[in-house]
Amino acid sequence: GKSRWFEFELGPKSVITRPAGGYKMPGPGFHEITGLAWSGAGAVKRVEVSTDGGRTWKDAQLHDPIARKAHTRFSSPWNWNGEEAILQSRCTDDQGTVQPTMAEVAKLWGVGDVDYFRQTTQVVGDFNAIQPWKVNKDGSVQNALF
């Protein structure tokens, strides 16, 4: 039941690079969410962005070049209203594989979400779960996994 231990192909992964941890939003209004996506199985086919903690998703724009097993830049417009928000991105590759949530990865390893990093010995470099960023009312951005 733990076959991923022997899997060397990285699944689809995306990460928002701005705004991200340590960034300070200059204030409410228009912002562009940007990031990188990749897959060890092929090319990035789609990236979706959520600004409400994963309740709704919107397609992001993929920027050329889009190549197999290579980083693909993405962006999405966002009008921040100054309230707390959870930003997430998820990638789908050309094989149809979708980047998993933290809950899906934890379930695969047989641990709870909050126990994942304490109870697994998985190499962090192989971790492809969705990375959420919390935007606080003061504009500061922090890792929402911890």
Side-chain angles (χ1 to χ4, degrees):
K2 305 281 190 216
S3 65
R4 280 182 68 110
W5 286 350
F6 305 104
E7 185 176 275
F8 295 105
E9 186 175 272
L10 183 63
K13 172 76 175 173
S14 66
V15 64
I16 293 170
T17 56
R18 193 181 73 206
Y23 185 77
K24 175 82 169 179
M25 303 281 286
F30 176 81
H31 297 274
E32 185 174 50
I33 297 170
T34 63
L36 291 171
W38 61 94
S39 175
V44 172
K45 186 73 169 175
R46 178 184 195 191
V47 174
E48 300 163 279
V49 172
S50 174
T51 58
D52 59 10
R55 287 189 301 278
T56 62
W57 296 90
K58 177 180 145 190
D59 283 328
Q61 178 184 358
L62 301 181
H63 300 276
D64 290 329
I66 301 170
R68 292 180 49 76
K69 301 181 182 183
H71 289 119
T72 300
R73 184 141 297 276
F74 67 87
S75 62
S76 183
W78 177 42
N79 191 16
W80 181 46
N81 63 8
E83 294 298 314
E84 192 173 277
I86 302 291
L87 307 180
Q88 299 176 323
S89 63
R90 71 178 173 199
C91 175
T92 302
D93 66 18
D94 61 0
Q95 307 299 306
T97 307
V98 179
Q99 181 179 354
T101 64
M102 183 65 215
E104 291 166 335
V105 171
K107 183 178 178 184
L108 175 73
W109 286 89
V111 297
D113 290 16
V114 295
D115 297 324
Y116 177 82
F117 292 102
R118 285 181 283 180
Q119 293 185 3
T120 65
T121 56
Q122 181 186 21
V123 176
V124 175
D126 293 340
F127 181 75
N128 73 318
I130 292 171
Q131 166 65 55
W133 297 111
K134 180 180 179 184
V135 179
N136 298 300
K137 287 183 178 185
D138 68 357
S140 63
V141 183
Q142 67 189 62
N143 187 335
L145 277 178
F146 304 104

